[in-house]
Amino acid sequence: MATDYYSVLGVGRDASQDQIKKAFRRLARELHPDVNPDPKTQERFKEINAAYEVLSDPQKKQVYDLGGDPLSQAGGGAGGFGAGFGNFSDIMDAFFGTASQRGPRSRTRRGQDAMIRLDIELGEAAFGTTKDIQVDTAVVCTTCSGEGAAPGTSAQTCDMCRGRGEVSQVTRSFLGQVMTSRPCPQCQGFGTVVPTPCPECAGDGRVRSRRTLTVKIPAGVDNGTRIQLAGEGEVGPGGGPAGDLYVEIHELPHSVFQRRGDDLHCTVTIPMTAAALGTKCPLETLDGVEEIDVRPGTQSGQSIPLHGRGVTHLRGNGRGDLIVHVEVQTPSKLEPEQEELLRRLAKLRGEERPQGQFQPGQQGLFSRLKDAFNGR
């Protein structure tokens, strides 16, 4: 086989049609006679043209892979351009790129989406709420109703492109006369011009305005939750349809509770005598005041769960839990009577006694300790 067409295009024998086409276009742009008039380059250009003619045609490619010469059978070859340019659109794409959409562009386009951040309290996030927000966005110009032209005037057909939105240019190449198109520089591709723009919006068809929106915040939202308000974003150029507005939730820190998912956590501090004897502590929750039952012998670091007192689940039913962490406070300074009572307690308990269990005589001593620590 005289010529290795795969090597000519720089692809492997297992290359796909898309890879073959891309390789040909890349080489065609580099070796085109109008770009590089060197005679050797022109010969090379003929070679890649012949290689592409074979490898882009499934039947010719099959004959070539079996050892035949599809160009000689077809009556073509690398000696001329006629057969090689059977797929004319590929050549045009290689030099001029993909053809743009024909016709004038519309002045009316969809507006951009917008986003604002909304701060809310923990209770509002837990149970949901309704908020009024102020939004600065583009709205339709009321002076021209989005047309962009001053009152009493209108857009006119562009006299350069005659409303087509593009102008054509004829150039000469080795193929002969080639016509190319580009957006009209006078009307920017719209096909019309606005001789007298609206003084309010300068021809854009929209102006900036501040407005108030009411947003419904569902129960269970968290930091980063985004609420979509369809059609409440920026109005597009030419009075085009508005984009969407996204409200991003930012939950403010709470003075008592820390949120972890849908659970709430807090810490209560109690004296050691209350931890030893047990007590009830009032706690202000999101649902009101509740009594926390601290059992006798509670250790520092233990937690008490209050089921269903957390944040409402955003997706699904029910609520998270409120986890109360107990911190036992040890006095840093003792009065003589307090110190004496603690020494007597230590002697009664002994180091061999299991923690959290009272022996005979200790309960009364603990009560006296409690009275002593409470100043009774």
Side-chain angles (χ1 to χ4, degrees), residues 327-346:
E327 181 181 89
V328 179
Q329 186 179 44
T330 303
S332 58
K333 185 177 181 180
L334 298 174
E335 298 294 333
E337 181 184 1
Q338 296 172 341
E339 184 177 353
E340 177 61 25
L341 289 171
L342 284 176
R343 291 186 182 279
R344 291 177 58 189
L345 175 62

Side-chain angles (χ1 to χ4, degrees), residues 257-310:
F257 302 114
Q258 297 82 44
R259 181 174 176 179
R260 301 175 192 171
D262 289 340
D263 292 337
L264 298 178
H265 294 255
C266 71
T267 301
V268 295
T269 303
I270 60 175
M272 66 177 188
T273 51
L277 297 173
T279 187
K280 291 185 180 295
C281 298
L283 176 65
E284 183 72 40
T285 71
L286 296 181
D287 299 272
V289 178
E290 300 214 12
E291 278 197 339
I292 309 301
D293 186 13
V294 180
R295 297 184 178 277
T298 297
Q299 303 297 305
S300 187
Q302 288 185 344
S303 59
I304 303 171
L306 297 181
H307 300 293
R309 292 295 184 268

Side-chain angles (χ1 to χ4, degrees), residues 345-367:
L345 175 62
K347 185 176 180 180
L348 281 172
R349 286 177 59 85
E351 295 184 355
E352 74 280 359
R353 304 293 188 188
Q355 293 185 357
Q357 297 183 10
F358 297 117
Q359 301 300 318
Q362 293 179 359
Q363 180 71 45
L365 184 55
F366 259 115
S367 298

Side-chain angles (χ1 to χ4, degrees), residues 1-8 13 47 50-51 64 78:
M1 192 175 294
T3 306
D4 185 350
Y5 291 139
Y6 291 100
S7 297
V8 170
R13 300 187 72 86
E47 291 180 1
Y64 174 74

Side-chain angles (χ1 to χ4, degrees), residues 74 112 124 197:
Q112 293 184 343
E124 296 173 327

Side-chain angles (χ1 to χ4, degrees), residues 110-114 229-236 240-246:
R110 182 183 184 275
Q112 293 184 343
D113 296 337
L229 302 179
E232 297 293 352
E234 300 275 349
V235 166
D244 298 335
L245 175 65
Y246 291 88

Side-chain angles (χ1 to χ4, degrees), residues 57-340:
D57 187 316
Q59 294 181 350
K60 293 180 180 180
K61 183 176 182 294
Q62 184 179 16
V63 173
Y64 174 74
D65 290 339
L66 292 174
D69 187 353
L71 291 182
S72 63
Q73 296 175 17
F81 291 108
F85 284 105
N87 193 341
F88 184 76
S89 63
D90 290 332
I91 300 294
M92 291 298 97
D93 286 347
F95 306 137
F96 307 111
T98 304
S100 60
Q101 183 178 356
R102 299 288 179 176
R105 294 190 297 136
S106 174
R107 289 186 179 274
T108 302
R109 301 192 301 277
R110 182 183 184 275
Q112 293 184 343
D113 296 337
M115 186 177 71
I116 63 171
R117 194 177 86 161
L118 178 62
D119 295 337
I120 63 173
E121 302 288 345
L122 174 60
E124 296 173 327
F127 302 118
T129 187
T130 300
K131 289 280 191 179
D132 288 336
I133 59 174
Q134 288 190 331
V135 185
D136 290 317
T137 57
V139 298
V140 175
C141 176
T142 56
T143 302
C144 66
S145 300
E147 296 295 328
T153 67
S154 62
Q156 299 180 3
T157 301
C158 176
D159 57 8
M160 177 176 286
C161 66
R162 300 188 182 280
R164 293 186 298 113
E166 59 183 16
V167 292
S168 301
Q169 181 180 7
V170 179
T171 58
R172 289 185 174 275
S173 72
F174 75 103
L175 299 173
Q177 291 185 340
V178 178
M179 179 177 292
T180 59
S181 299
R182 60 188 177 89
C184 175
Q186 179 167 295
C187 66
Q188 308 303 317
F190 294 117
T192 59
V193 293
V194 182
T196 311
C198 171
E200 185 69 22
C201 64
D204 192 38
R206 55 184 183 168
V207 294
R208 305 295 299 184
S209 177
R210 173 171 291 186
R211 53 203 173 99
T212 301
L213 297 176
T214 300
V215 184
K216 183 178 181 180
I217 310 299
V221 294
D222 201 351
N223 273 320
T225 300
R226 290 184 179 180
I227 301 171
Q228 181 181 11
L229 302 179
E232 297 293 352
E234 300 275 349
V235 166
D244 298 335
L245 175 65
Y246 291 88
V247 179
E248 185 174 86
I249 298 299
H250 177 253
E251 184 180 294
L252 298 172
H254 194 271
S255 59
V256 176
F257 302 114
Q258 297 82 44
R259 181 174 176 179
R260 301 175 192 171
D262 289 340
D263 292 337
L264 298 178
H265 294 255
C266 71
T267 301
V268 295
T269 303
I270 60 175
M272 66 177 188
T273 51
L277 297 173
T279 187
K280 291 185 180 295
C281 298
L283 176 65
E284 183 72 40
T285 71
L286 296 181
D287 299 272
V289 178
E290 300 214 12
E291 278 197 339
I292 309 301
D293 186 13
V294 180
R295 297 184 178 277
T298 297
Q299 303 297 305
S300 187
Q302 288 185 344
S303 59
I304 303 171
L306 297 181
H307 300 293
R309 292 295 184 268
V311 177
T312 304
H313 299 312
L314 180 60
R315 296 175 181 85
N317 300 321
R319 296 169 57 184
D321 299 332
L322 171 58
I323 312 299
V324 181
H325 300 272
V326 178
E327 181 181 89
V328 179
Q329 186 179 44
T330 303
S332 58
K333 185 177 181 180
L334 298 174
E335 298 294 333
E337 181 184 1
Q338 296 172 341
E339 184 177 353
E340 177 61 25

